[in-house]
Amino acid sequence: MTAIEFSHLRIEIMGAESVSLWDHTAEEKEVVSDFRRDDVDVAIIGAGYTGLSAALHCAECGLSSQVIEAERIGFGGSGRNVGLVNAAAWLPPARITETLGPEYGPGFVKRFSEAPSAVFDLVRRHRIRCEATREGTVHAAHSRAGLRDLARRHAQWQRLGEPVDLLDRNEANEMIGGGTFHGGLLDHRAGTLNPMAYCRGLARAAVAAGARIATGIRATALKARAGGWLVETARGPVRATNVVIGTNAYTGDLWPGLNSEITTIHFLQVATRPLGSAATHILPGRQGLWDTGPIMLSLRRDAAGRLIIGTMGRVSGSVSTGLTQRWARRQIARMFPGIGPVELDSAWHGRIAMTADYLPRIHHLADGLWTPIGYNGRGITTGTLLGQSMADVLAGMDPGRLPLPVTGLTASRRSRAKSWIYPLAFAANQCVRSL
C-alpha cells in the first residue's frame, strides 16, 4: 500500500498511480492511441465520460477526432465516481418540467429516464468488462420528511408509467440489509458498475472505431482560426473544425468564465477489505444507495464484496488514521452492527460540478466550440448522453433537438462563495458523525 499526496491531503490507495479503488480493480486496461497534429473534424478536451462518449459517437458518425487529456483516462470525476447508473436528474420530474418549460422539460425527463438503458446498451454492445449490474438503486429516506419527499417523487413517476417502487421502513431496511432508514425509492431502471472500467471501455471502443486519444498532454489555449480552431499544447497545436470541452468539474481556465457558474464540491469514498459471507445480505443484488440527507451518504458493494461508503467532502487523514476513517467505521457499525469491526482498504475523493438549479448545461461558447457542464453528481449517464449529443450536433443534427436548450455562460458569485463554505460544513459533518 502506498501513500501519496493529493489536494494537500495524505491518503492511502492501492498503487502509487491509482486515483481510486476502481482504478486498481478495473478489468478494462487503459487504451491510448496516439497524438498527431493532422487536421481533425473535432478536438475533444478531456478523456472522461463526456469526451470519450463524444469521440466514440463522432467516429460512428464518420467524424475524425483527437482526444486530448492532461493526465490519463478517467483521472478526474469519471474514475473517482460512485458508480451509480441513475435515471433522470436530482430533481423530481415535475420540477424539471417547471424549470425547463414545456418545450424541453418532458423530453429531458424521457431521455434521461432512458439514460441507464443507453449506458448498459453501450456496455453490452462493446463488451465492456465493468461489473455491470442492473438490479436498481435505492434512494433511501434519512428522515420522515425525506420519505414524504420520496412519496411525492414516486407519485410523479407512477403517473409517467416508470418502474419505480416506494418502500416502507421495513421493506427498505430488509433490501439494504440493515440501516436506520425510514423508507426508500427503488428505481428498477438503474444499476451499478465499476466507473473506471466503464470509462476505459468507452476509450477502447472509441479507438476501435477510429478516434485518437492522447494522454499526458494538456490543452493550454484555444485560438479561433479561419474555418475552425487551434488547440495549443506543449506538443504543438491541433487543428480542428470543432472543439468539445468535456472537463466538467475539472474545468480550469482554458475558456474564460467557464467554471464561474458551477459550484465545485468534493465527494469522498472509503472502501473496506472484501467482507465475504459476512456482508452478502447487504444490498444483495449489488444495488447502489444514496440518501435524502442534505449532506448525502452513498453506499454500495462491489463484485469482490467490499462495502464502499461515501459522503460529501474531502478525505481527511488516511485510510488507517484520521477523521475520515473514523467516520467510515462509525457509519458502517451504526448501519450494520452484525458484521463487527471492518478493515479498510482505500479512500479517495473527487469533484462534482453543481449548478444552481441542479440541471446540466450545454453551452455554445463560440462558432464550433461547445461544452456540456454541471452534471450534479450524475456523471455516468449525463456524460454519456451529452457526449453523444455533441457528436450528433457536429454531425449535422439541429441543435433544437438537444435534450437541453443551448445557453450562454452565467457567472455566479454565490458559486465561488459556496465552494468555500461547503467544505467547512462537510468537514463538520464528518466530525459529528464520527463520534
Side-chain angles (χ1 to χ4, degrees):
M1 187 171 290
T2 305
I4 68 169
E5 295 291 328
F6 177 70
S7 296
H8 311 294
L9 294 168
R10 189 173 186 271
I11 64 175
E12 291 179 353
I13 53 181
M14 301 297 293
E17 299 301 320
S18 296
V19 300
S20 68
L21 169 77
W22 312 120
D23 193 2
H24 177 70
T25 61
E27 286 188 65
E28 290 281 346
K29 303 303 181 185
E30 188 164 357
V31 176
V32 177
S33 56
D34 56 2
F35 176 80
R36 285 181 287 184
R37 292 169 56 185
D38 303 341
D39 287 13
V40 291
D41 296 315
V42 189
I44 299 168
I45 300 168
Y49 302 132
T50 307
L52 296 172
S53 175
L56 170 59
H57 290 99
C58 278
E60 291 179 341
C61 291
L63 298 174
S64 60
S65 66
Q66 173 73 65
V67 178
I68 303 167
E69 167 57 50
E71 301 290 345
R72 57 194 184 87
I73 289 169
F75 179 85
S78 298
R80 305 168 197 264
N81 198 284
V82 177
L84 306 188
V85 188
N86 277 320
W90 276 83
L91 302 177
R95 181 74 178 278
I96 294 172
T97 298
E98 178 185 340
T99 302
L100 293 178
E103 182 179 357
Y104 282 97
F108 179 95
V109 170
K110 180 174 175 55
R111 180 86 181 272
F112 278 72
S113 294
E114 298 169 350
S117 292
V119 169
F120 289 117
D121 284 349
L122 286 173
V123 169
R124 176 187 51 78
R125 180 153 54 97
H126 297 288
R127 299 182 179 180
I128 299 175
R129 296 163 296 170
C130 60
E131 303 174 20
T133 67
R134 199 172 185 185
E135 297 295 328
T137 56
V138 180
H139 195 179
H142 81 294
S143 66
R144 291 186 179 89
L147 184 57
R148 289 193 294 271
D149 175 64
L150 294 182
R152 289 189 290 268
R153 291 172 182 255
H154 176 255
Q156 293 177 30
W157 287 123
Q158 287 292 291
R159 286 194 290 271
L160 294 171
E162 297 292 343
V164 177
D165 296 336
L166 186 65
L167 310 176
D168 64 21
R169 179 193 290 266
N170 291 335
E171 291 170 330
N173 290 318
E174 182 178 352
M175 169 167 284
I176 295 164
T180 57
F181 297 105
H182 291 256
L185 206 61
L186 173 62
D187 190 337
H188 294 280
R189 299 168 294 184
T192 62
L193 48 69
N194 179 314
M196 180 65 91
Y198 174 61
C199 196
R200 291 178 182 171
L202 287 178
R204 172 173 58 78
V207 169
R212 299 203 304 262
I213 300 173
T215 60
I217 302 174
R218 185 176 299 276
T220 56
L222 297 174
K223 298 180 180 178
R225 68 181 184 99
W229 293 86
L230 286 179
V231 182
E232 298 285 357
T233 79
R235 296 266 299 272
V238 174
R239 297 180 296 273
T241 306
N242 303 282
V243 175
V244 173
I245 302 175
T247 46
N248 195 33
Y250 289 75
T251 294
D253 299 323
L254 186 62
W255 189 261
L258 183 55
N259 58 6
S260 63
E261 68 175 349
I262 59 172
T263 299
T264 301
I265 67 172
H266 288 84
F267 197 90
L268 68 88
Q269 295 175 75
V270 181
T272 70
R273 298 278 177 88
L275 298 177
S277 60
T280 53
H281 66 288
I282 300 173
L283 298 167
R286 304 219 319 268
Q287 300 90 347
L289 177 150
W290 81 106
D291 75 357
T292 58
I295 298 180
M296 189 183 81
L297 176 137
S298 69
L299 183 74
R300 60 168 298 190
R301 192 162 57 88
D302 75 355
R306 300 176 183 87
L307 283 184
I308 301 109
I309 188 169
T311 191
M312 294 170 172
R314 297 172 181 253
V315 172
S316 177
S318 74
V319 74
S320 55
T321 62
L323 177 60
T324 296
Q325 64 86 24
R326 292 199 303 272
W327 168 86
R329 293 180 193 277
R330 180 70 184 92
Q331 298 313 302
I332 292 171
R334 180 178 64 85
M335 289 190 285
F336 311 109
I339 66 173
V342 297
E343 292 186 71
L344 302 181
D345 182 276
S346 51
W348 68 96
H349 58 242
R351 301 179 204 162
I352 296 174
M354 304 293 292
T355 60
D357 60 7
Y358 303 105
L359 290 172
R361 307 279 191 266
I362 297 176
H363 295 313
H364 191 189
L365 301 170
D367 189 27
L369 177 60
W370 295 80
T371 186
I373 196 170
Y375 295 172
N376 298 281
R378 296 295 175 96
I380 294 173
T381 46
T382 307
T384 300
L385 286 191
L386 295 189
Q388 179 179 3
S389 294
M390 292 296 92
D392 291 340
V393 165
L394 298 180
M397 185 184 81
D398 180 356
R401 293 177 57 196
L402 287 166
L404 288 159
V406 177
T407 56
L409 293 177
T410 305
S412 172
R413 292 183 180 180
R414 290 184 179 181
S415 294
R416 288 184 176 274
K418 288 178 181 178
S419 294
W420 285 97
I421 294 169
Y422 283 168
L424 300 177
F426 300 155
N429 177 68
Q430 284 190 63
C431 286
V432 170
R433 294 186 176 275
S434 67
L435 298 176

